[in-house]
Amino acid sequence: MKEVVVIGGGASGLMAAYAAAKNGNKVTLVEKNEKVGKKIYITGKGRCNLTNDCSPDEFLQNVVRGGKFLTGAIYAFPPARTMQFMEENGLALKVERGNRVFPASDHASDVTKTLERACHAVGVKILLNTEVQRIEKGDCFRIATSTADLVADAVILATGGLACPSTGSTGDGYRFAAEAGHTITPCVPSLVGLELAAPLTEAQGVTLKNVVLTAKRGQKTLSSRLGELLFTHYGVSGPLVLTLSAEINRLPLNEISLFLDFKPALDEKTLDARLVRDFTERKNEQMKNVMRGLLPAALSVPVLQAANISPAKQANAVTREERMRLLYTLKNFPLRPQKLRGFEEAVITSGGVSLLEVNPKTMESKKVKGLYFCGEVLDLDAYTGGFNLQIAFSTGFCAGENIK
Ligand SMILES: Cc1cc2nc3c(=O)[nH]c(=O)nc-3n(C[C@H](O)[C@H](O)[C@H](O)COP(=O)(O)OP(=O)(O)OC[C@H]3O[C@@H](n4cnc5c(N)ncnc54)[C@H](O)[C@@H]3O)c2cc1C
């Protein structure tokens, strides 16, 4: 039996504490907030998309950084195990579109309660309002906290990343890891909105479903996806943009061009026929009104301006050349990315404790015996869909399970 201190009571720390305690270790979980799982409460818009009901292989296809490192942990504790764990501990689940798993109650708080219940059942001691300030390693670990010093044979660092710092994720774990001799891969926000050089402020709040967003660097297409996009006061957000952010957050944004296809279901010939028909049927109307058949009203003027057509022009005065320009613009509307939004708005941190210095089978440090890592503090991140919480659960379970 070992004395184990888990630092951080988020998804990964709670799972790690449970796994370590069920094996007979004496586990203390230290959380600086007044309650555990503060971030879990806001996940999935308060409903907590806790995992994705897919196979380990499908899961790994949705990991952006660290897929190879994660393979063992995901096979050892796959989404099916998370679902089984939750159900065995009294949480009914449901699976929605895209295999996203939620509590049947639609309350994220039920996920936290379930994890807490499981921890209590195996004897985890939870210290709230206790902030870890320093970790020292001699014969054993000495953990200095805001209330008292703790001693442990093993420490699990589950302090999360930098995203949404109001939930307690303020990057403390990176400091502890660096002080222990670990390399920290620079952190950038991921799954976050994108500021544009020229935001379409008039379209703020407009959501477009089934559009294609393409990102290019020079002539090279970096990605091209169909989905939902939201215009905001600063630029763009929504599922398509969050996914894209994970792919471009380490690239120089001034070298990236984005193009929006408003009508991906229509090829150019079909769309042109549609324009000709609209222009004929509404020949005496101004273009800004004619466009409303094709686009939300707030986008008509920006699209016409991008095609260099006066919004006041009558449909029957539009030349063939202008129509061709409009057609091109509808399929390739340019957006100039300027900057990602910050960690306050990001869903996840990309970067963290270097995976090269952590044993993927156990989550133990290769540098400091008895020091383990799990969750977002590691240089691991995935797309939306329940994948990030599953990473927290798999790595948390793996760390706790391997303390013997
Ligand atoms: C708005 C939002 C929505 C999200 N929705 C989803 C979703 O639906 N599905 C999904 O899969 N993922 C989602 N995520 C991502 C997911 O929440 C994270 O990947 C996951 O919570 C990371 O868990 P963690 O345990 O590693 O870190 P955290 O949840 O950040 O937990 C770390 C804990 O450590 C504590 N701590 C930090 N430093 C100290 C210290 N010095 N002393 C003591 N305690 C400390 C913190 O207070 C915190 O409680 C969402 C994220 C956000 C921000």
Side-chain angles (χ1 to χ4, degrees):
M1 187 201 68
K2 287 193 169 156
E3 294 253 5
V4 181
V5 167
V6 179
I7 306 174
S12 68
L14 286 162
M15 184 58 91
Y18 162 80
K22 85 170 169 42
N23 284 350
N25 296 298
K26 193 171 166 225
V27 181
T28 304
L29 184 146
V30 187
E31 168 54 54
K32 69 179 170 187
N33 288 327
E34 68 292 355
K35 59 183 178 190
V36 292
K38 210 163 177 181
K39 187 173 277 178
I40 297 175
Y41 285 92
I42 56 162
T43 56
K45 301 199 169 98
R47 298 200 302 132
C48 186
N49 174 199
L50 62 121
T51 186
N52 193 283
D53 186 13
C54 65
S55 69
D57 281 347
E58 286 169 300
F59 187 94
L60 291 165
Q61 283 164 23
N62 286 279
V63 175
V64 180
R65 287 172 73 82
K68 192 158 168 253
F69 173 90
L70 260 181
T71 307
I74 292 293
Y75 271 90
F77 197 85
R81 280 288 298 279
T82 297
M83 294 172 73
Q84 186 188 0
F85 168 88
M86 295 294 171
E87 283 168 343
E88 282 175 1
N89 284 285
L91 183 71
L93 300 174
K94 60 178 173 181
V95 182
E96 296 191 357
R97 178 182 54 86
N99 297 332
R100 290 168 157 84
V101 180
F102 293 89
S105 64
D106 280 332
H107 294 310
S109 55
D110 288 338
V111 175
T112 311
K113 282 183 202 150
T114 305
L115 286 161
E116 246 185 308
R117 201 162 45 234
C119 282
H120 284 309
V122 291
V124 175
K125 183 175 165 195
I126 297 181
L127 298 181
L128 300 174
N129 296 307
T130 307
E131 181 171 345
V132 171
Q133 291 159 340
R134 209 173 50 258
I135 308 170
E136 281 167 13
K137 172 88 201 286
D139 292 343
C140 59
F141 289 94
R142 289 196 174 277
I143 301 118
T145 81
S146 51
T147 53
D149 286 1
L150 302 168
V151 174
D153 304 309
V155 166
I156 303 179
L157 211 51
T159 41
L162 288 162
C164 201
S166 59
T167 60
S169 333
T170 47
D172 303 13
Y174 303 135
R175 179 166 56 82
F176 301 145
E179 284 167 0
H182 276 270
T183 310
I184 310 299
T185 306
C187 295
V188 292
S190 193
L191 305 181
V192 72
L194 195 56
E195 293 181 17
L196 297 177
L200 303 181
T201 40
E202 58 274 65
Q204 180 181 336
V206 171
T207 296
L208 298 174
K209 292 204 165 111
N210 299 320
V211 290
V212 168
L213 181 65
T214 300
K216 288 189 174 182
R217 190 176 186 187
Q219 290 308 304
K220 188 174 172 223
T221 299
L222 300 175
S223 78
S224 191
R225 281 199 184 77
L226 175 77
E228 192 176 307
L229 179 137
L230 166 71
F231 287 96
T232 68
H233 64 283
Y234 59 76
V236 281
S237 187
L240 266 183
V241 174
L242 298 197
T243 301
L244 177 72
S245 72
E247 291 160 348
I248 62 171
N249 55 10
R250 289 177 188 276
L251 300 176
L253 293 190
N254 60 352
E255 292 179 16
I256 293 176
S257 323
L258 301 180
F259 300 94
L260 201 50
D261 182 349
F262 290 107
K263 297 287 163 195
L266 304 180
D267 63 20
E268 290 194 2
K269 197 166 159 231
T270 315
L271 182 56
D272 189 39
R274 166 82 190 269
L275 290 178
V276 170
R277 195 191 72 201
D278 283 6
F279 291 4
T280 311
E281 283 174 2
R282 307 173 72 175
K283 58 179 187 274
N284 296 323
E285 290 182 45
Q286 290 186 330
M287 279 303 287
K288 64 178 180 212
N289 297 328
V290 176
M291 291 298 289
R292 287 187 191 165
L294 277 168
L295 291 172
L299 285 167
S300 298
V301 171
V303 168
L304 286 166
Q305 283 169 342
N308 202 13
I309 298 170
S310 165
K313 193 163 198 169
Q314 276 196 192
N316 61 3
V318 172
T319 64
R320 183 176 186 283
E321 195 186 316
E322 284 174 325
R323 199 181 77 233
M324 290 300 115
R325 280 208 305 269
L326 180 58
L327 180 64
Y328 181 82
T329 307
L330 284 167
K331 301 286 285 175
N332 302 276
F333 184 76
L335 301 168
R336 258 188 308 132
Q338 191 166 53
K339 188 169 166 283
L340 291 175
R341 295 295 275 179
F343 282 111
E344 295 73 26
E345 291 176 26
V347 170
I348 193 103
T349 309
S350 166
V353 174
S354 168
L355 304 178
L356 297 173
E357 299 164 356
V358 180
N359 180 338
K361 291 202 177 91
T362 60
M363 301 296 143
E364 188 175 12
S365 161
K366 290 182 185 171
K367 296 188 162 240
V368 182
K369 194 165 163 25
L371 178 64
Y372 294 76
F373 300 97
C374 58
E376 203 173 320
V377 74
L378 287 163
D379 182 10
L380 295 168
D381 64 278
Y383 295 125
T384 57
F387 303 104
N388 286 298
L389 277 169
Q390 180 61 45
I391 289 177
F393 295 139
S394 296
T395 54
F397 189 86
C398 184
E401 173 82 350
N402 280 290
I403 299 178
K404 289 177 178 129

